[in-house]
Amino acid sequence: MKITRRELLISAGSLLAYSQLGSLANAEVNIAAQPGDQEMIASMCKALYPHDRFPMSIYMDVAAGAIKKGNADTGAKISFRAGLDGLKINKFDKMNFKKQTKYLKSIENTPFFGLVRGHTVVALYDHKEVHKIFGYQGASFDKGGYKDGEYNDLSWLPEPRIEEHPDLTAFLDDSSPKKYASLKIKKTF
Amino acid sequence: MKIDKKEKAVVVIGSGPGGAQVAYQLTKQGIPVVLLEAGRRIMKEEYVNEEWPAFSQMAWLDKRTMSGNARIVKDFNGLPTWLVKAVGGTATHWAGATPRFLDYEWKTKSTYGSVDGATLMDWPIDGKEMKPYYVKAEDAIGSTHRGGRPPLPANNNYKVFAEGAKRVGYKFYATGPYGTNAAPYDGRPASIQDGFNFQGDKNGSKWNPNVSEIPKALATGKLELRTNSQAVQITTDSSGKADGVLYMDTKTKALHRQEAKVICVAGNSIETPRLFLMSASSRFPNGLANSSDQVGRNYMRHLTGSVYATFDKPVNFFRGETMAGFLADEVKHNPKRGFVGGYYLETLALGPSFLGAFLDPGKWGKKFADMMDGYQNMAGMWIVGEDMPQANNRITLGSAKDAFGLPAPNVHFDDHPNDTAMRNHAYEKGEAIYKAVGATQTYRVTPYPHTHNLGSMRMSAKAKDGVVDKWGRCHDVKNLFVSDGSVMTTGAACNPTLTITALAIRQGEYLADQLKKGNV
Ligand SMILES: Cc1cc2nc3c(=O)[nH]c(=O)nc-3n(C[C@H](O)[C@H](O)[C@H](O)COP(=O)(O)OP(=O)(O)OC[C@H]3O[C@@H](n4cnc5c(N)ncnc54)[C@H](O)[C@@H]3O)c2cc1C
């Protein structure tokens, strides 16, 4: 259920679809089962969130997850099949990036697009390899946290003050309702 | 301690900062308390230092619906809030910023005057009365920069923030006040700069009731903590006093009843009014304690918004404390800026997983990907400011049902023009800070699902204007109290938890005294 719940947050408006993702099993007709289908979806994932630094294998992983969701129920299946057909007919994977973007704009309101985009933005940026490429180190607790010289290793700016400014208390304390009520309101709305 | 369900007990509902604090104040004085918590108890060893798994471990995901013109309604329909269902409440997620209200923020109606479309009102208490409770609350939480406690060191995100602020001409920046230990305090260790405050803090340096008030209250021998116990109705006797709580075992769905002599509700600003509305009866046809029709109204979520920026050199902003960076220069009411009230800027770091989801919900394409691609060179800040209470920003019982067959709450939220004007001002200032230290790209980020939830059971001097009196006691039902942030008459600019804690300490002391005198 973990995947289901996380998508719950992300997929604006499609909560119901996602909450029914539990029942993936026993699908009789599977869509996107042809050779090349996963590659086609992966090219869409890449056009949506293009990163030159990411190997295609990451987008292939993401595409696999999207296809799984496309098979989740009958409703998803029929819209996914139609969307995938569209990509194929238009040879989406052979278009240049500009044309791809234009094509994606034209299908932006379809459930197929919503499913693939909603899945991709979560699965892609949650991908362990993406974290590595981004230089995101994540958890450090097991190593005793980030050490002095790590969490504060930025050296292109001067060391800042960490204590409060000596005038702060006076600044915050000077807040009598009477005094502030005398300020005139200039309404801009 | 075991308390019989037939015994007329003091019952507290919800174990977040509000409920746990009241339970601790009472048990500390020898008064037995039943604490009902809808979630389970998650110990720190179980916390997960990954964003989505931690979210699904503890978030409140029961069905909710939304309406209104705020962008959040479209972006995250069904998930209006970012709240926790576990012992310790949303403070399991909380970062730790602990500023206080300014004196005039208790009296916004008399200070700001009338603002079209807003239901500003003065609190029936003031800054002078609250001052000693703020000190107690800071000591309870262990706020840095207060009570002789040292500041946290600067992490990379703070270095960018502070230097940018300085170059813009600001001076009131610091690494706190912040509710995570810089030095060992109250039996908890100093921060090891391992981040993941939002995921519970495995090191236990961060204050939250699950590592403080709950174990302390249990140690008095006077607390019975009932987990997986979700209150679904408060019942009343023939005289109109509350006399019991119906609650459900969330695992077995069995319904139980606890007899009560006093009830304190602290389920946060959606579940608290929802419970009151679900407790409608022939005596209270519009919902319990709702003769004023104010239950559920004036719901606030603070201004909020974020600014992220990328630079041509590395920042690694994810390392270290999540939100240990503060700027107070814009907090003062200054209507010349084109809005009433003020705001703080606070450092904030998210991992790529959350950032992808929150940077610009629904967006795709090259600009978005380029921003994400700059992750290592990124700095971030959060805007928290006063938002306007509005009568129709409101929690109601919708027609949808949750998994238990109970009416799901609907959250209606419209942005007030004052909120929008303030947010735009803050975006500009935030961008200026980052540009002053060489930002190559800046990004204005829309509010996340609401983390600060306030105001739906507002405190008022007169019964007709609100739900509870200055002690958090219901105007209509004298043995029924509200102990969470929903009592906030107005929300001020500051993060709310210190004030929730201060109010709960004050209420707990008052209630203990009244119970001893036999007045309730
Ligand atoms: C990511 C994040 C960061 C934050 N950072 C800060 C910060 O830096 N500074 C700050 O001041 N605040 C911060 N907050 C806000 C802070 O967490 C809340 O203000 C605070 O937890 C509210 O306390 P509460 O007791 O009112 O409610 P909660 O903490 O939400 O507790 C309510 C509890 O009641 C339980 N409950 C609800 N309904 C029922 C029911 N019917 N029966 C039984 N139990 C029930 C819930 O399960 C929950 O445990 C942050 C929040 C989030 C999400």
Side-chain angles (χ1 to χ4, degrees):
Chain A
M1 282 307 275
K2 262 183 189 160
I3 300 286
T4 309
R5 285 175 163 205
R6 87 171 60 150
E7 257 94 35
L8 200 86
L9 169 72
I10 296 319
S11 57
S14 46
L15 278 169
L16 271 182
Y18 280 110
S19 63
Q20 289 156 2
L21 278 186
S23 53
L24 284 179
N26 299 330
E28 282 170 10
V29 176
N30 274 318
I31 47 106
Q34 305 296 316
D37 284 356
Q38 191 180 348
E39 284 80 358
M40 184 61 86
I41 299 295
S43 71
M44 174 172 170
C45 299
K46 176 158 186 170
L48 283 167
Y49 298 100
H51 291 269
D52 295 339
R53 296 198 279 165
F54 297 180
M56 213 50 211
S57 58
I58 293 180
Y59 291 107
M60 285 292 277
D61 287 351
V62 173
I67 289 168
K68 208 166 162 190
K69 280 187 192 143
N71 282 305
D73 62 30
T74 311
K77 272 184 191 173
I78 57 170
S79 54
F80 203 96
R81 200 199 57 82
L84 178 59
D85 261 10
L87 296 182
K88 286 179 177 172
I89 290 164
N90 290 287
K91 300 199 167 52
F92 180 84
D93 54 341
K94 301 283 179 301
M95 293 176 186
N96 65 26
F97 179 70
K98 224 173 136 187
K99 286 228 169 89
Q100 285 183 328
T101 302
K102 211 172 141 196
Y103 180 78
L104 291 176
K105 271 249 164 291
S106 76
I107 62 161
E108 212 174 6
N109 293 323
T110 63
F112 167 70
F113 178 91
L115 188 153
V116 177
R117 193 210 64 77
H119 170 76
T120 304
V121 74
V122 174
L124 184 65
Y125 296 115
D126 199 35
H127 199 289
K128 288 283 164 305
E129 262 180 75
V130 165
H131 289 183
K132 236 185 241 157
I133 294 167
F134 277 178
Y136 175 64
Q137 295 149 300
S140 65
F141 178 75
D142 292 339
K143 294 173 238 150
Y146 287 105
K147 300 275 173 325
D148 192 17
E150 269 180 343
Y151 70 83
N152 53 1
D153 65 352
L154 185 149
S155 58
W156 50 273
L157 289 170
E159 282 304 309
R161 189 190 74 222
I162 56 172
E163 296 85 12
E164 291 172 331
H165 191 281
D167 297 345
L168 178 69
T169 310
F171 172 73
L172 297 177
D173 282 353
D174 168 28
S175 58
S176 94
K178 228 187 210 144
K179 174 174 168 186
Y180 279 80
S182 68
L183 299 178
K184 272 216 166 53
I185 295 189
K186 182 191 122 221
K187 266 208 207 129
T188 55
F189 42 82
Chain B
M1 158 175 233
K2 197 103 187 93
I3 295 170
D4 197 277
K5 287 188 195 137
K6 292 265 177 296
E7 185 182 324
K8 284 201 154 296
V10 176
V11 182
V12 177
I13 298 169
S15 67
Q21 190 61 248
V22 168
Y24 175 49
Q25 294 300 326
L26 295 173
T27 53
K28 194 167 77 169
Q29 300 212 33
I31 298 164
V33 170
V34 176
L35 177 54
L36 300 175
E37 166 54 53
R40 68 182 182 101
R41 189 152 189 214
I42 308 173
M43 302 311 271
K44 61 180 195 289
E45 296 72 27
E46 271 184 83
Y47 293 147
V48 187
N49 280 354
E50 278 181 80
E51 292 178 318
W52 289 121
F55 181 81
S56 42
Q57 182 183 42
M58 58 181 85
W60 185 290
L61 294 172
D62 295 16
K63 188 172 180 65
R64 287 169 174 168
T65 58
M66 290 181 83
S67 54
N69 73 16
R71 184 174 158 186
I72 185 103
V73 177
K74 188 172 134 266
D75 289 345
F76 295 103
N77 206 319
L79 202 88
T81 62
W82 184 350
L83 295 176
V84 172
K85 189 177 201 172
V87 173
T90 309
T92 319
H93 265 332
W94 92 314
T98 60
R100 298 180 182 185
F101 270 49
L102 303 175
D103 284 345
Y104 63 75
E105 288 178 321
W106 299 100
K107 306 288 170 193
T108 53
K109 180 70 195 281
S110 19
T111 306
Y112 305 162
S114 289
V115 174
D116 287 348
T119 49
L120 288 171
M121 185 164 79
D122 290 355
W123 288 64
I125 47 184
D126 62 21
K128 192 158 163 257
E129 186 176 352
M130 287 307 293
K131 204 166 183 171
Y133 293 102
Y134 269 136
V135 175
K136 289 185 188 192
E138 285 160 353
D139 289 346
I141 289 173
S143 302
T144 63
H145 298 77
R146 299 285 177 273
R149 286 173 292 269
L152 281 156
N155 64 7
N156 290 336
N157 201 21
Y158 178 75
K159 286 190 190 184
V160 179
F161 178 79
E163 182 63 19
K166 187 175 165 191
R167 289 191 193 168
V168 165
Y170 289 139
K171 54 182 188 177
F172 297 123
Y173 52 86
T175 56
Y178 196 66
T180 291
N181 291 343
Y185 177 75
D186 201 20
R188 290 178 287 116
S191 165
I192 55 167
Q193 298 292 336
D194 54 339
F196 290 98
N197 266 32
F198 289 179
Q199 288 70 33
D201 185 23
K202 283 180 92 69
N203 200 47
S205 306
K206 179 181 90 163
W207 172 86
N208 108 40
N210 194 33
V211 295
S212 182
E213 283 72 18
I214 295 291
K216 286 176 192 169
L218 286 169
T220 65
K222 296 290 177 188
L223 180 73
E224 184 182 344
L225 172 64
R226 282 185 210 154
T227 55
N228 301 311
S229 299
Q230 186 166 335
V232 295
Q233 201 163 57
I234 292 168
T235 58
T236 50
D237 64 16
S238 56
S239 73
K241 280 177 84 177
D243 66 354
V245 181
L246 288 174
Y247 66 95
M248 161 182 78
D249 181 321
T250 53
K251 291 209 158 130
T252 64
K253 301 192 181 177
L255 201 58
H256 300 276
R257 178 183 164 86
Q258 174 66 52
E259 299 286 324
K261 65 175 166 200
V262 177
I263 300 170
C264 297
V265 186
N268 207 324
S269 295
I270 295 179
E271 292 308 314
T272 295
R274 180 189 184 210
L275 180 61
F276 277 63
L277 295 172
M278 289 198 301
S279 301
S281 59
S282 54
R283 189 183 185 108
F284 298 100
N286 297 323
L288 193 54
N290 194 21
S291 66
S292 62
D293 188 34
Q294 293 297 306
V295 169
R297 291 189 187 271
N298 311 299
Y299 167 69
M300 296 169 285
R301 57 126 182 219
H302 270 151
L303 182 73
T304 86
S306 314
V307 179
Y308 291 88
T310 49
F311 298 84
D312 56 12
K313 296 188 201 71
V315 178
N316 290 312
F317 77 146
F318 56 85
R319 297 180 189 158
E321 283 298 330
T322 308
M323 200 177 245
F326 243 78
L327 183 73
D329 292 75
E330 295 287 355
V331 74
K332 292 298 219 25
H333 173 57
N334 171 12
K336 281 204 197 101
R337 294 178 297 186
F339 53 87
V340 302
Y343 61 89
Y344 287 98
L345 298 175
E346 299 169 1
T347 54
L348 172 62
L350 298 179
S353 309
F354 271 5
L355 194 66
F358 295 135
L359 183 66
D360 205 345
K363 270 278 161 26
W364 54 277
K366 187 152 167 37
K367 190 179 172 228
F368 182 98
D370 282 352
M371 188 67 193
M372 290 298 297
D373 214 61
Y375 185 80
Q376 192 154 32
N377 297 0
M378 189 179 285
M381 69 169 85
W382 198 55
I383 305 160
V384 51
E386 180 161 26
D387 63 336
M388 289 295 106
Q390 300 177 72
N392 290 328
N393 281 351
R394 182 179 183 192
I395 317 304
T396 52
L397 298 181
S399 48
K401 297 267 189 289
D402 71 8
F404 305 106
L406 300 164
N410 184 68
V411 178
H412 183 91
F413 201 91
D414 294 328
D415 263 326
H416 188 278
N418 195 76
D419 306 351
T420 309
M422 191 193 289
R423 188 177 299 120
N424 287 335
H425 190 271
Y427 280 148
E428 252 172 57
K429 297 296 176 184
E431 287 180 328
I433 286 172
Y434 285 142
K435 283 180 181 151
V437 278
T440 49
Q441 193 177 3
T442 58
Y443 217 107
R444 296 178 173 198
V445 175
T446 185
Y448 312 133
H450 309 167
T451 56
H452 297 178
N453 294 273
L454 313 167
S456 55
M457 304 287 286
R458 81 189 327 198
M459 186 182 278
S460 65
K462 294 193 192 116
K464 69 174 179 42
D465 296 329
V467 184
V468 299
D469 71 7
K470 67 178 201 161
W471 299 107
R473 181 202 289 248
C474 291
H475 290 299
D476 295 352
V477 183
K478 294 296 176 205
N479 63 340
L480 181 58
F481 290 74
V482 179
S483 318
D484 59 25
S486 64
V487 303
M488 293 205 180
T489 312
T490 55
C494 60
N495 314 58
T497 308
L498 182 76
T499 304
I500 293 172
T501 301
L503 289 168
I505 293 173
R506 176 174 166 275
Q507 182 186 71
E509 289 180 358
Y510 170 78
L511 183 53
D513 183 57
Q514 295 295 303
L515 281 163
K516 283 181 185 160
K517 289 182 179 144
N519 289 348
V520 269

